[in-house]
């Protein structure tokens, strides 16, 4: 499979985009596929948009709690939209760095 | 007369009070510290209480003993901070203090009510925290006569105070059950929201290997949804279930309730703070030290100590009409007690993850970095004396505030 969209995108060794400004919606769609989400619904986008917005204010990817508080999507629902690790998955799909959980 | 107000008289607040009392002219400035609790707990010591290594008396002293004479200490709850009006309302006597400079050192607290079921019938009976004196003491009583079973240590959510404390708890538990001769009867499981033992890759892999060697199982990426003490299990959002006989929880950590009431915090009630100058993002005359702020660093006393010089310098600069200098690098330095009278040391900052090597310390060291040694254990045990007698008083210590690469292997 050729993936021309991701061809020129640079990632760090954990798979996060190096330059968040190079992010486009097309890239997000491809990254979502890599994360096992074939179809990004409006609810998915609502969260991605929130993360992109939040990142411009603070520079880092938002934590799980700030996503649920900011979007009023419940944690349970978030796990249904982005199974396993939602915070990390959304950060990656949104072209942001790893969420700053701690340390 | 101007007022220098410090909210919170714990590690950060006490250090600031001591340092500033040397710098401020008492004819011009009055220093006030407000705290609602009379006791100062040596918080790293709480970890040792469940295993009977320390008793509660070993970790507590009166807060008043650590403030200089020219500082007024007010024992009161804080009702409200009004940073736009430069004033703080206290509960006691409904006193209102108007300040010229404010330092927020209100710390962080555990919020077990954030996890459904955690505070129900098992709290401090077969479910414990060890971040409070009450939790640590109750757990020590429980462990004294426990015959074994499944011990689950769960971290509810990051960030937490001292992110290595859960690992130390696990290592010490392994040692404790060995000593008691019941290690074979205890299954130890570590359920963490992190992808591994720790946040940073090198340390995570080395510490992860240590867990494995000690036969401690790790359940990674575990985001707790609820505690069910009837079924004796915890469940995650992705529908994993872990049964337990004894649950040790590190609940969600949040900033002080007064920060929330005053609408000064983020979603966890931590005050948004400039990560290099340590000034509150919204208010020019408000400074934040320690874990009351949202700086992405370890919420630990060592970090508050490394913040101290930067905060004090910037406050003094501001008093002279100068811009703050952006010097804080996120430096953290933690001894990790690993059981059997050994310990590990890690030293890192915003940009450099914990690395192996040697930590040079004239007169004491070197300490081994990211590696077990008896000297590290000795360092950890000696630190309690250093804390009470040197650190809180803001005395010169033989470490630099900024991290150094000396001795570290890349």
């Amino acid at each position: 499979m050729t993936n021309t969209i991701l061809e020129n995108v640079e990632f760090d060794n954990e798979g996060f985009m190096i330059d968040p400004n190079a992010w486009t919606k097309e890239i997000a769609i491809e990254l979502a596929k890599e994360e096992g989400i074939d179809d990004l619904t409006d609810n998915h986008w609502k969260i991605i948009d929130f993360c992109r917005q939040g990142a411009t204010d603070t520079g880092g990817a938002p934590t799980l709690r700030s996503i649920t508080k900011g979007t009023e999507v419940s944690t349970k629902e978030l796990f249904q939209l982005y199974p396993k690790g939602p915070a990390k998955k959304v950060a990656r799909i949104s072209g942001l760095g790893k969420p700053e959980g701690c340390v | 007369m101007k007022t220098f107000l410090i909210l919170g008289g714990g590690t950060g607040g006490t250090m600031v009070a001591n340092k500033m009392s040397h710098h401020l002219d008492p004819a011009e400035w009055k220093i006030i510290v407000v705290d609602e609790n009379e006791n100062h707990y040596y918080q790293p010591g709480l970890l040792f209480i469940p295993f009977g290594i320390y008793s509660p008396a070993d970790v507590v002293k009166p807060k008043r003993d650590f403030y200089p004479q020219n500082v007024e200490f007010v024992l009161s709850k804080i009702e409200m901070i009004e940073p736009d009006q430069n004033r703080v309302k206290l509960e006691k006597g409904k006193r209102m203090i108007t300040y010229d400079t404010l330092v927020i050192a209100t710390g962080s607290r555990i919020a077990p009510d954030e996890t459904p079921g955690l505070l129900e019938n098992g709290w401090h009976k077969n479910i414990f925290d060890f971040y409070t004196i009450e939790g640590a003491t109750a757990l020590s009583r429980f462990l004294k006569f426990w015959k074994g079973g499944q011990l689950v240590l769960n971290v509810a959510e990051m960030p937490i105070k001292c992110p290595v404390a859960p690992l130390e708890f696990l290592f010490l538990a392994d040692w404790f059950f060995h000593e008691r001769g019941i290690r074979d009867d205890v299954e130890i499981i570590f359920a963490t929201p992190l992808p591994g033992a720790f946040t940073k890759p090198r340390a995570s892999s080395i510490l992860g290997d240590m867990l494995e060697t000690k036969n401690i199982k790790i359940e990674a990426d575990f985001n707790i949804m609820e505690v069910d003490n009837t079924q004796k299990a915890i469940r995650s959002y992705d529908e994993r279930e872990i049964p337990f006989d004894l649950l040790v929880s590190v609940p969600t950590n949040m900033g002080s309730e007064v920060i929330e009431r005053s609408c000064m915090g983020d979603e966890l009630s931590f005050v948004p703070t400039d990560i290099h100058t340590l000034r509150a993002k919204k208010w020019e005359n408000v400074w934040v030290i320690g874990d009351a702020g949202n700086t992405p660093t370890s919420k630990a006393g060592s970090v508050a100590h490394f913040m101290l010089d930067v905060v004090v310098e910037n406050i003094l600069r501001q008093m002279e009409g100068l811009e703050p200098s952006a010097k804080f690098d996120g430096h953290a330095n933690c001894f990790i007690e690993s059981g059997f009278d050994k310990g590990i040391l890690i030293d890192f900052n915003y940009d450099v993850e914990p690395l192996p090597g040697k930590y040079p310390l004239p007169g004491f060291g070197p300490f081994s970095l990211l590696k077990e040694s008896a000297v590290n254990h000795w360092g950890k045990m000696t630190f309690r004396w250093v804390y009470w007698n040197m650190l809180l008083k803001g005395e010169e210590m033989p470490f630099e505030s900024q991290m150094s690469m000396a001795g570290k292997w890349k």
Side-chain angles (χ1 to χ4, degrees), chain B residues 4 8 27 33 69 72 86 130 200 238 264 290 302 357 359 397:
Chain B
F4 188 94
V33 178
Q69 276 194 332
E72 181 192 349
N86 298 313
F130 62 93
K200 311 279 168 135
D238 59 0
M264 294 177 76
S302 77
Y359 185 81
M397 303 264 285

Side-chain angles (χ1 to χ4, degrees), chain A residues 63-66 69 75-76 79 84 88 98 100-103, chain B residues 114 157-159 199 223 225 237 239 252 267-268 296-297 348:
Chain A
T63 59
L64 206 59
R65 180 177 282 266
S66 48
K69 189 153 185 194
T75 314
K76 186 90 193 160
F79 270 85
K84 306 280 173 206
K88 209 167 139 187
K98 199 172 166 180
E100 283 170 347
C102 77
V103 177
Chain B
E114 291 286 318
E157 182 175 354
M158 298 304 290
T199 48
N223 287 282
M225 181 174 70
Y237 283 104
E239 286 160 15
T252 301
E267 69 279 358
L268 286 167
T297 174
F348 55 106

